[in-house]
Amino acid sequence: MEKQKNAVGRRKEAVTRVFLSKGDGKITVNGKDYKNYFSLIYLQNQVEAPLKTVESSDKFDIVVNAQGGGIKGQAEAAKLGIARALLEVSADYRPALKAAGLLKRDPRSVERKKPGRKKARRSFQFSKR
């Protein structure tokens, strides 16, 4: 691997651009360490998941630019982006990442609000009298 690899991850409204280069396992999200950016442990585990799956957490430096959505969507988008970037490094990682379900784009997003309703499906309170 001579230069950095990049990939895009998406989830809900969040979009992340992931840049992967040779290094010693430093992960940066929007200029901050990922442990500061994602303060909840389960979100940190989401970001680390692809690296742990291919057992290369100390081989690559990762820079993530996250935009849109919330903190959870950004973490899951980063997970997909890192998995896709790892595929560009080596196709040998594909079976492990695929078996762990890390190459799937989660299609779920917020349903739009409908007219005559309070939210997407919730009606206004019904008054009998």
PDB file of all heavy atoms in Angstrom, residues 92-114:
ATOM      1  N   ASP A  92      -8.336  -9.924   0.547  1.00  0.00           N
ATOM      2  CA  ASP A  92      -8.342 -11.077   1.450  1.00  0.00           C
ATOM      3  C   ASP A  92      -9.220 -10.833   2.676  1.00  0.00           C
ATOM      4  O   ASP A  92      -9.625 -11.787   3.347  1.00  0.00           O
ATOM      5  CB  ASP A  92      -6.913 -11.382   1.935  1.00  0.00           C
ATOM      6  CG  ASP A  92      -5.975 -11.670   0.775  1.00  0.00           C
ATOM      7  OD1 ASP A  92      -6.478 -12.026  -0.313  1.00  0.00           O
ATOM      8  OD2 ASP A  92      -4.756 -11.538   0.957  1.00  0.00           O
ATOM      9  N   TYR A  93      -9.480  -9.565   2.995  1.00  0.00           N
ATOM     10  CA  TYR A  93     -10.294  -9.233   4.163  1.00  0.00           C
ATOM     11  C   TYR A  93     -11.787  -9.473   3.918  1.00  0.00           C
ATOM     12  O   TYR A  93     -12.566  -9.532   4.855  1.00  0.00           O
ATOM     13  CB  TYR A  93     -10.110  -7.757   4.548  1.00  0.00           C
ATOM     14  CG  TYR A  93      -8.736  -7.393   5.056  1.00  0.00           C
ATOM     15  CD1 TYR A  93      -8.224  -6.107   4.844  1.00  0.00           C
ATOM     16  CD2 TYR A  93      -7.950  -8.291   5.750  1.00  0.00           C
ATOM     17  CE1 TYR A  93      -6.967  -5.746   5.313  1.00  0.00           C
ATOM     18  CE2 TYR A  93      -6.695  -7.943   6.224  1.00  0.00           C
ATOM     19  CZ  TYR A  93      -6.216  -6.672   6.001  1.00  0.00           C
ATOM     20  OH  TYR A  93      -4.984  -6.309   6.472  1.00  0.00           O
ATOM     21  N   ARG A  94     -12.179  -9.604   2.654  1.00  0.00           N
ATOM     22  CA  ARG A  94     -13.597  -9.654   2.305  1.00  0.00           C
ATOM     23  C   ARG A  94     -14.396 -10.754   3.025  1.00  0.00           C
ATOM     24  O   ARG A  94     -15.445 -10.472   3.596  1.00  0.00           O
ATOM     25  CB  ARG A  94     -13.769  -9.773   0.794  1.00  0.00           C
ATOM     26  CG  ARG A  94     -15.215  -9.655   0.360  1.00  0.00           C
ATOM     27  CD  ARG A  94     -15.366  -9.580  -1.141  1.00  0.00           C
ATOM     28  NE  ARG A  94     -16.751  -9.406  -1.494  1.00  0.00           N
ATOM     29  CZ  ARG A  94     -17.369  -8.232  -1.509  1.00  0.00           C
ATOM     30  NH1 ARG A  94     -16.707  -7.140  -1.223  1.00  0.00           N
ATOM     31  NH2 ARG A  94     -18.636  -8.143  -1.820  1.00  0.00           N
ATOM     32  N   PRO A  95     -13.928 -12.018   3.032  1.00  0.00           N
ATOM     33  CA  PRO A  95     -14.745 -13.060   3.682  1.00  0.00           C
ATOM     34  C   PRO A  95     -15.016 -12.783   5.161  1.00  0.00           C
ATOM     35  O   PRO A  95     -16.135 -12.980   5.636  1.00  0.00           O
ATOM     36  CB  PRO A  95     -13.899 -14.338   3.520  1.00  0.00           C
ATOM     37  CG  PRO A  95     -12.980 -14.050   2.388  1.00  0.00           C
ATOM     38  CD  PRO A  95     -12.739 -12.581   2.394  1.00  0.00           C
ATOM     39  N   ALA A  96     -14.001 -12.306   5.882  1.00  0.00           N
ATOM     40  CA  ALA A  96     -14.173 -12.030   7.318  1.00  0.00           C
ATOM     41  C   ALA A  96     -15.140 -10.872   7.541  1.00  0.00           C
ATOM     42  O   ALA A  96     -16.016 -10.937   8.412  1.00  0.00           O
ATOM     43  CB  ALA A  96     -12.824 -11.715   7.954  1.00  0.00           C
ATOM     44  N   LEU A  97     -14.981  -9.799   6.758  1.00  0.00           N
ATOM     45  CA  LEU A  97     -15.857  -8.631   6.913  1.00  0.00           C
ATOM     46  C   LEU A  97     -17.295  -8.970   6.525  1.00  0.00           C
ATOM     47  O   LEU A  97     -18.240  -8.531   7.171  1.00  0.00           O
ATOM     48  CB  LEU A  97     -15.346  -7.471   6.054  1.00  0.00           C
ATOM     49  CG  LEU A  97     -14.041  -6.826   6.513  1.00  0.00           C
ATOM     50  CD1 LEU A  97     -13.508  -5.876   5.451  1.00  0.00           C
ATOM     51  CD2 LEU A  97     -14.220  -6.085   7.828  1.00  0.00           C
ATOM     52  N   LYS A  98     -17.444  -9.759   5.473  1.00  0.00           N
ATOM     53  CA  LYS A  98     -18.776 -10.140   5.011  1.00  0.00           C
ATOM     54  C   LYS A  98     -19.469 -11.032   6.040  1.00  0.00           C
ATOM     55  O   LYS A  98     -20.654 -10.862   6.326  1.00  0.00           O
ATOM     56  CB  LYS A  98     -18.667 -10.853   3.666  1.00  0.00           C
ATOM     57  CG  LYS A  98     -19.987 -10.963   2.925  1.00  0.00           C
ATOM     58  CD  LYS A  98     -19.749 -11.499   1.535  1.00  0.00           C
ATOM     59  CE  LYS A  98     -21.023 -11.886   0.852  1.00  0.00           C
ATOM     60  NZ  LYS A  98     -21.656 -10.811   0.120  1.00  0.00           N
ATOM     61  N   ALA A  99     -18.726 -11.972   6.616  1.00  0.00           N
ATOM     62  CA  ALA A  99     -19.289 -12.875   7.624  1.00  0.00           C
ATOM     63  C   ALA A  99     -19.737 -12.101   8.859  1.00  0.00           C
ATOM     64  O   ALA A  99     -20.738 -12.457   9.500  1.00  0.00           O
ATOM     65  CB  ALA A  99     -18.265 -13.927   8.013  1.00  0.00           C
ATOM     66  N   ALA A 100     -19.015 -11.028   9.196  1.00  0.00           N
ATOM     67  CA  ALA A 100     -19.378 -10.215  10.363  1.00  0.00           C
ATOM     68  C   ALA A 100     -20.496  -9.226  10.035  1.00  0.00           C
ATOM     69  O   ALA A 100     -20.973  -8.497  10.911  1.00  0.00           O
ATOM     70  CB  ALA A 100     -18.156  -9.462  10.861  1.00  0.00           C
ATOM     71  N   GLY A 101     -20.920  -9.168   8.764  1.00  0.00           N
ATOM     72  CA  GLY A 101     -22.011  -8.273   8.350  1.00  0.00           C
ATOM     73  C   GLY A 101     -21.611  -6.812   8.310  1.00  0.00           C
ATOM     74  O   GLY A 101     -22.445  -5.930   8.478  1.00  0.00           O
ATOM     75  N   LEU A 102     -20.321  -6.534   8.071  1.00  0.00           N
ATOM     76  CA  LEU A 102     -19.841  -5.150   8.102  1.00  0.00           C
ATOM     77  C   LEU A 102     -19.867  -4.466   6.741  1.00  0.00           C
ATOM     78  O   LEU A 102     -19.560  -3.283   6.640  1.00  0.00           O
ATOM     79  CB  LEU A 102     -18.411  -5.120   8.665  1.00  0.00           C
ATOM     80  CG  LEU A 102     -18.283  -5.582  10.112  1.00  0.00           C
ATOM     81  CD1 LEU A 102     -16.829  -5.739  10.502  1.00  0.00           C
ATOM     82  CD2 LEU A 102     -18.963  -4.595  11.050  1.00  0.00           C
ATOM     83  N   LEU A 103     -20.224  -5.194   5.690  1.00  0.00           N
ATOM     84  CA  LEU A 103     -20.243  -4.592   4.351  1.00  0.00           C
ATOM     85  C   LEU A 103     -21.654  -4.211   3.916  1.00  0.00           C
ATOM     86  O   LEU A 103     -21.853  -3.727   2.813  1.00  0.00           O
ATOM     87  CB  LEU A 103     -19.628  -5.560   3.334  1.00  0.00           C
ATOM     88  CG  LEU A 103     -18.168  -5.909   3.592  1.00  0.00           C
ATOM     89  CD1 LEU A 103     -17.683  -6.932   2.591  1.00  0.00           C
ATOM     90  CD2 LEU A 103     -17.297  -4.669   3.553  1.00  0.00           C
ATOM     91  N   LYS A 104     -22.645  -4.429   4.791  1.00  0.00           N
ATOM     92  CA  LYS A 104     -24.023  -4.089   4.462  1.00  0.00           C
ATOM     93  C   LYS A 104     -24.323  -2.643   4.795  1.00  0.00           C
ATOM     94  O   LYS A 104     -24.019  -2.178   5.877  1.00  0.00           O
ATOM     95  CB  LYS A 104     -24.983  -4.968   5.263  1.00  0.00           C
ATOM     96  CG  LYS A 104     -25.309  -6.266   4.596  1.00  0.00           C
ATOM     97  CD  LYS A 104     -26.574  -6.849   5.197  1.00  0.00           C
ATOM     98  CE  LYS A 104     -26.812  -8.229   4.656  1.00  0.00           C
ATOM     99  NZ  LYS A 104     -26.843  -9.238   5.701  1.00  0.00           N
ATOM    100  N   ARG A 105     -24.946  -1.929   3.876  1.00  0.00           N
ATOM    101  CA  ARG A 105     -25.412  -0.571   4.129  1.00  0.00           C
ATOM    102  C   ARG A 105     -26.791  -0.706   4.753  1.00  0.00           C
ATOM    103  O   ARG A 105     -27.683  -1.303   4.168  1.00  0.00           O
ATOM    104  CB  ARG A 105     -25.438   0.183   2.798  1.00  0.00           C
ATOM    105  CG  ARG A 105     -26.351   1.399   2.631  1.00  0.00           C
ATOM    106  CD  ARG A 105     -26.182   2.481   3.640  1.00  0.00           C
ATOM    107  NE  ARG A 105     -26.712   3.742   3.175  1.00  0.00           N
ATOM    108  CZ  ARG A 105     -27.733   4.372   3.735  1.00  0.00           C
ATOM    109  NH1 ARG A 105     -28.382   3.843   4.745  1.00  0.00           N
ATOM    110  NH2 ARG A 105     -28.106   5.554   3.297  1.00  0.00           N
ATOM    111  N   ASP A 106     -26.972  -0.198   5.966  1.00  0.00           N
ATOM    112  CA  ASP A 106     -28.267  -0.280   6.651  1.00  0.00           C
ATOM    113  C   ASP A 106     -29.230   0.696   5.983  1.00  0.00           C
ATOM    114  O   ASP A 106     -29.034   1.910   6.060  1.00  0.00           O
ATOM    115  CB  ASP A 106     -28.089   0.058   8.134  1.00  0.00           C
ATOM    116  CG  ASP A 106     -29.297  -0.344   8.958  1.00  0.00           C
ATOM    117  OD1 ASP A 106     -30.398  -0.465   8.378  1.00  0.00           O
ATOM    118  OD2 ASP A 106     -29.143  -0.534  10.171  1.00  0.00           O
ATOM    119  N   PRO A 107     -30.280   0.207   5.305  1.00  0.00           N
ATOM    120  CA  PRO A 107     -31.142   1.093   4.521  1.00  0.00           C
ATOM    121  C   PRO A 107     -32.187   1.847   5.335  1.00  0.00           C
ATOM    122  O   PRO A 107     -32.873   2.713   4.806  1.00  0.00           O
ATOM    123  CB  PRO A 107     -31.829   0.131   3.547  1.00  0.00           C
ATOM    124  CG  PRO A 107     -31.911  -1.142   4.304  1.00  0.00           C
ATOM    125  CD  PRO A 107     -30.680  -1.192   5.171  1.00  0.00           C
ATOM    126  N   ARG A 108     -32.311   1.533   6.629  1.00  0.00           N
ATOM    127  CA  ARG A 108     -33.377   2.157   7.418  1.00  0.00           C
ATOM    128  C   ARG A 108     -33.128   3.642   7.619  1.00  0.00           C
ATOM    129  O   ARG A 108     -32.022   4.066   7.923  1.00  0.00           O
ATOM    130  CB  ARG A 108     -33.488   1.488   8.788  1.00  0.00           C
ATOM    131  CG  ARG A 108     -33.917   0.044   8.705  1.00  0.00           C
ATOM    132  CD  ARG A 108     -33.893  -0.601  10.056  1.00  0.00           C
ATOM    133  NE  ARG A 108     -32.542  -0.655  10.586  1.00  0.00           N
ATOM    134  CZ  ARG A 108     -32.242  -0.998  11.829  1.00  0.00           C
ATOM    135  NH1 ARG A 108     -33.187  -1.296  12.676  1.00  0.00           N
ATOM    136  NH2 ARG A 108     -30.993  -1.033  12.226  1.00  0.00           N
ATOM    137  N   SER A 109     -34.167   4.425   7.416  1.00  0.00           N
ATOM    138  CA  SER A 109     -34.079   5.861   7.698  1.00  0.00           C
ATOM    139  C   SER A 109     -35.455   6.334   8.173  1.00  0.00           C
ATOM    140  O   SER A 109     -36.414   5.553   8.183  1.00  0.00           O
ATOM    141  CB  SER A 109     -33.631   6.636   6.462  1.00  0.00           C
ATOM    142  OG  SER A 109     -34.587   6.496   5.441  1.00  0.00           O
ATOM    143  N   VAL A 110     -35.553   7.588   8.530  1.00  0.00           N
ATOM    144  CA  VAL A 110     -36.793   8.115   9.098  1.00  0.00           C
ATOM    145  C   VAL A 110     -37.869   8.209   8.020  1.00  0.00           C
ATOM    146  O   VAL A 110     -37.621   8.685   6.910  1.00  0.00           O
ATOM    147  CB  VAL A 110     -36.545   9.509   9.710  1.00  0.00           C
ATOM    148  CG1 VAL A 110     -37.823  10.088  10.283  1.00  0.00           C
ATOM    149  CG2 VAL A 110     -35.495   9.422  10.793  1.00  0.00           C
ATOM    150  N   GLU A 111     -39.068   7.723   8.358  1.00  0.00           N
ATOM    151  CA  GLU A 111     -40.199   7.786   7.441  1.00  0.00           C
ATOM    152  C   GLU A 111     -40.738   9.215   7.389  1.00  0.00           C
ATOM    153  O   GLU A 111     -40.756   9.907   8.403  1.00  0.00           O
ATOM    154  CB  GLU A 111     -41.274   6.828   7.972  1.00  0.00           C
ATOM    155  CG  GLU A 111     -42.395   6.532   7.011  1.00  0.00           C
ATOM    156  CD  GLU A 111     -43.357   5.477   7.544  1.00  0.00           C
ATOM    157  OE1 GLU A 111     -42.950   4.655   8.374  1.00  0.00           O
ATOM    158  OE2 GLU A 111     -44.528   5.489   7.119  1.00  0.00           O
ATOM    159  N   ARG A 112     -41.173   9.644   6.221  1.00  0.00           N
ATOM    160  CA  ARG A 112     -41.630  11.024   6.092  1.00  0.00           C
ATOM    161  C   ARG A 112     -42.979  11.244   6.775  1.00  0.00           C
ATOM    162  O   ARG A 112     -43.772  10.318   6.921  1.00  0.00           O
ATOM    163  CB  ARG A 112     -41.710  11.431   4.627  1.00  0.00           C
ATOM    164  CG  ARG A 112     -42.933  10.922   3.878  1.00  0.00           C
ATOM    165  CD  ARG A 112     -42.985  11.522   2.475  1.00  0.00           C
ATOM    166  NE  ARG A 112     -44.258  11.246   1.835  1.00  0.00           N
ATOM    167  CZ  ARG A 112     -45.339  12.008   1.971  1.00  0.00           C
ATOM    168  NH1 ARG A 112     -45.308  13.082   2.751  1.00  0.00           N
ATOM    169  NH2 ARG A 112     -46.455  11.700   1.349  1.00  0.00           N
ATOM    170  N   LYS A 113     -43.221  12.501   7.160  1.00  0.00           N
ATOM    171  CA  LYS A 113     -44.491  12.858   7.784  1.00  0.00           C
ATOM    172  C   LYS A 113     -45.581  12.867   6.719  1.00  0.00           C
ATOM    173  O   LYS A 113     -45.345  13.303   5.596  1.00  0.00           O
ATOM    174  CB  LYS A 113     -44.377  14.255   8.410  1.00  0.00           C
ATOM    175  CG  LYS A 113     -45.605  14.647   9.196  1.00  0.00           C
ATOM    176  CD  LYS A 113     -45.614  16.118   9.525  1.00  0.00           C
ATOM    177  CE  LYS A 113     -46.912  16.534  10.161  1.00  0.00           C
ATOM    178  NZ  LYS A 113     -48.090  16.284   9.347  1.00  0.00           N
ATOM    179  N   LYS A 114     -46.787  12.353   7.082  1.00  0.00           N
ATOM    180  CA  LYS A 114     -47.902  12.317   6.151  1.00  0.00           C
ATOM    181  C   LYS A 114     -48.902  13.428   6.483  1.00  0.00           C
ATOM    182  O   LYS A 114     -49.044  13.803   7.641  1.00  0.00           O
ATOM    183  CB  LYS A 114     -48.635  10.965   6.230  1.00  0.00           C
ATOM    184  CG  LYS A 114     -47.757   9.726   6.227  1.00  0.00           C
ATOM    185  CD  LYS A 114     -46.986   9.548   4.961  1.00  0.00           C
ATOM    186  CE  LYS A 114     -46.242   8.241   4.880  1.00  0.00           C
ATOM    187  NZ  LYS A 114     -45.397   7.897   5.996  1.00  0.00           N
TER     188      LYS A 114
END
